[in-house]
Amino acid sequence: MSTPLLAEPSAVFSMHDGAWLPSALSRGPWDERAQHGGAAGALLAHVAESELPDHSWTLSRMSMELVKPVPVAPLHSRTALHPGRSTMRMTVDLLSGEVLVARAHMLAVRGQGFTLPDGVPGWSPDRLLPGPASCSEPAVIPGMPHGTSFYYNAVEHRMAGGNIARPGPGAAWFRLRVPIIDGATTTPFMLAAAVADSGSGISWVLPPETYLFANADLSLHLHRAPAGEWLGMESESQVDGGGAGTTLSRLYDVDGPVGVAVQTLVVRERR
C-alpha cells in the first residue's frame, strides 16, 4: 500500500519506511502530479552529500538528468561510489517503484585550504547588484499557473535585473522558505541545486502561453560553497526552431561569484 503524502507540509521531503516522501511543496507549477526540477535536484544533492566520508569532501559538480517526470509520490534512491584520492565520483538514482525517473552524476573534491595570491587571472570580485535586501519584486513568470508548488511556496524570489514580464535575460535572488528534508539542515550545495533549475524561468524567451520549454537536465558547477541564505542568478536563454534550447546561469552569493549552471531545454509549440 502506498504511503500518503504529507497533509500539512513543513518541508519538501521526509523519510518514511526507507522511502523519500514528497510533500505538495515539491510540485512543479505545470502539473501537480510532477515535481519541480529544483526539488528533485536538491534531494539528489542531499543523498550524495550523505555518502561523503567526512567534512574534508565537498560536492563541486552535479549533472542531473530528468529521465521522466519525477512524480509526487514515494521515491527510492540508490548510489554508486567511485572513490579516488583527491576526487570522488558517484551516481545517484531516483526511482518510482522500479522505474528510473532521475539520475545525477556527482563530483566531490577533497578540500585543501590555501590563500590565493593577489592578481590571480580569472578570479572575479564582481557581485550581483542590487543585493537581495534592496530587491522586492517577485519573479512571477507570465503564464505560469498559481497554486501550491515548489517555486511559489518553498522558494522566495526577488528580481535583481531584467523585466520578468518581457522576454530576455534576467537576474534574481532566491532563498528557501522551508527545509528540503524534514529534520535535516539544507546545505549550500542543496540550496544551489534547488534554485539553479529556475534559470530558464527568469530568462524566458518564448511566451509560456503558446510554447513549452521543459528542462531536460541541469549541470551545476560550484568553485566555492555559497555563503548565507540567498543565491543569486544571472540567466540567459537561447532557443532554436529545431526544438532545443539552452540556459546559462552565473551563480552568486552576496560576496561574489560561486559557479555556473547550464540547462538543456526541450521546446515545443502548445497544441
Side-chain angles (χ1 to χ4, degrees):
M1 183 172 63
S2 63
T3 304
L5 300 181
L6 293 177
E8 297 181 1
S10 57
V12 182
F13 296 95
S14 65
M15 171 62 78
H16 185 86
D17 289 342
W20 296 108
L21 183 64
S23 73
L25 297 178
S26 69
R27 290 172 176 162
W30 305 106
D31 184 347
E32 66 178 18
R33 299 167 299 176
Q35 292 186 30
H36 189 283
L43 175 58
L44 287 162
H46 172 75
V47 174
E49 288 185 311
S50 300
E51 296 287 343
L52 297 177
D54 54 58
H55 293 296
S56 68
W57 293 89
T58 57
L59 291 182
S60 180
R61 183 257 294 171
M62 179 181 80
S63 295
M64 174 180 68
E65 301 165 0
L66 297 170
V67 181
K68 294 179 179 292
V70 180
V72 183
L75 302 170
H76 291 85
S77 57
R78 65 186 180 196
T79 307
L81 300 178
H82 307 281
R85 190 165 68 178
S86 300
T87 62
M88 178 186 302
R89 289 161 176 82
M90 64 180 79
T91 301
V92 183
D93 292 341
L94 288 182
L95 300 100
S96 175
E98 300 297 323
V99 178
L100 176 68
V101 293
R103 170 170 287 170
H105 301 282
M106 307 285 194
L107 177 68
V109 176
R110 187 192 291 273
Q112 182 181 0
F114 58 90
T115 301
L116 288 173
D118 294 334
V120 176
W123 181 83
S124 173
D126 293 342
R127 297 184 179 185
L128 176 58
L129 297 173
S134 301
C135 302
S136 59
E137 178 191 1
V140 179
I141 301 166
M144 178 182 285
H146 286 269
T148 301
S149 70
F150 183 79
Y151 187 79
Y152 284 126
N153 299 90
V155 178
E156 179 182 356
H157 31 78
R158 301 178 183 181
M159 290 299 296
N163 185 340
I164 194 66
R166 297 179 181 177
W173 290 98
F174 298 84
R175 68 176 173 182
L176 291 168
R177 300 179 188 271
V178 297
I180 294 295
I181 308 296
D182 186 35
T185 300
T186 299
T187 65
F189 197 94
M190 288 170 65
L191 169 64
V195 304
D197 189 69
S198 297
S200 58
I202 63 171
S203 64
W204 62 274
V205 293
L206 293 172
E209 300 93 337
T210 51
Y211 291 90
L212 293 169
F213 42 95
N215 303 333
D217 66 4
L218 171 69
S219 293
L220 172 65
H221 297 257
L222 299 183
H223 61 267
R224 70 175 176 88
E229 62 180 346
W230 289 98
L231 189 83
M233 291 198 296
E234 287 181 321
S235 303
E236 183 173 4
S237 294
Q238 302 282 345
V239 298
D240 183 76
T246 57
T247 298
L248 172 64
S249 299
R250 298 187 180 277
L251 309 179
Y252 299 83
D253 63 12
V254 294
D255 296 321
V258 299
V260 296
V262 180
Q263 297 164 273
T264 300
L265 310 180
V266 179
V267 185
R268 298 288 186 267
E269 287 185 283
R270 289 186 181 272
R271 295 187 180 276

